[in-house]
Amino acid sequence: MDVLLRDGDAVAVGSRALTVIETRGHTWGHCAYFDEASAALFTGDAVQGHGVPSCDGQSVFAPLYVDVAEARWGLRRLLDVPFRLLCPAHVPPMQRDEGLAFLRDSLSYIDTADQIARKMAADSGSAPLLTRDLAARLGEAVGTRPPVSPQTVATARAHLYALAREGLLEAAWVKGSTG
């Protein structure tokens, strides 16, 4: 059965009620869940730091988000949750201080990616800034092998759309510019 979740809803998981916290920056419908009884915050992929190491340690899965402003908004909301245990996807749970640091590192990555995108846009002059070029630079910055990956492409597109909305890039350069 599908259920439409809204920010602030309670979801029953066994005998526990988890509070839904909308964090739609990673994906449009992404949510985190807070268990008030244990003060555990389950964030899924919204909190990724500067990337998550692959199982073999040879690469890093770069942070992925579909909208820059929404990703920042979602992460900032999580900073205000009174959690004692942060439970992100793909890394072990962490106590509050370490969890807050990981949340701030996730925000810092967005700032870093934004700086890279803005510099590349400024340096491109009148030439188009291609998604693959920005994706490669983002992948290189975190250690993704190969640098162009589904994660870096999605995040690069998010930054290109943000720059286009600000008028810093031609919107036509963003659409379909993966090649």
Side-chain angles (χ1 to χ4, degrees):
M1 171 174 71
D2 291 337
V3 177
L4 177 63
L5 299 176
R6 290 190 169 87
D7 192 55
D9 284 352
V11 176
V13 180
S15 64
R16 292 279 173 83
L18 305 182
T19 303
V20 176
I21 303 169
E22 191 175 1
T23 54
R24 61 184 178 258
H26 171 66
T27 61
W28 296 119
H30 196 277
C31 295
Y33 303 89
F34 181 59
D35 177 14
E36 196 171 323
S38 67
L41 176 60
F42 302 91
T43 63
D45 286 328
V47 183
Q48 303 172 57
H50 270 67
V52 177
S54 63
C55 292
D56 66 6
Q58 300 300 309
S59 186
V60 171
F61 293 103
L64 183 156
Y65 43 89
V66 296
D67 187 279
V68 176
E70 297 286 353
R72 280 190 179 112
W73 173 82
L75 290 168
R76 287 181 182 136
R77 293 191 76 205
L78 296 177
L79 287 169
D80 294 331
V81 176
F83 67 88
R84 286 193 307 263
L85 188 67
L86 182 73
C87 303
H90 312 294
V91 296
M94 47 193 84
Q95 297 297 314
R96 182 166 181 80
D97 287 343
E98 185 182 3
L100 287 170
F102 196 51
L103 279 163
R104 289 185 186 105
D105 189 47
S106 298
L107 282 163
S108 171
Y109 175 79
I110 296 172
D111 293 340
T112 297
D114 185 56
Q115 291 169 0
I116 291 169
R118 287 175 184 280
K119 179 166 181 4
M120 289 181 73
D123 291 349
S124 70
S126 61
L129 175 53
L130 300 179
T131 302
R132 72 168 177 229
D133 295 338
L134 179 54
R137 182 64 188 92
L138 296 176
E140 290 164 0
V142 297
T144 299
R145 304 284 183 270
V148 177
S149 70
Q151 290 84 5
T152 60
V153 168
T155 299
R157 288 180 66 85
H159 282 277
L160 292 172
Y161 283 121
L163 292 173
R165 280 191 296 272
E166 290 181 36
L168 299 175
L169 289 177
E170 293 283 337
W173 293 351
V174 177
K175 294 180 182 177
S177 63
T178 59

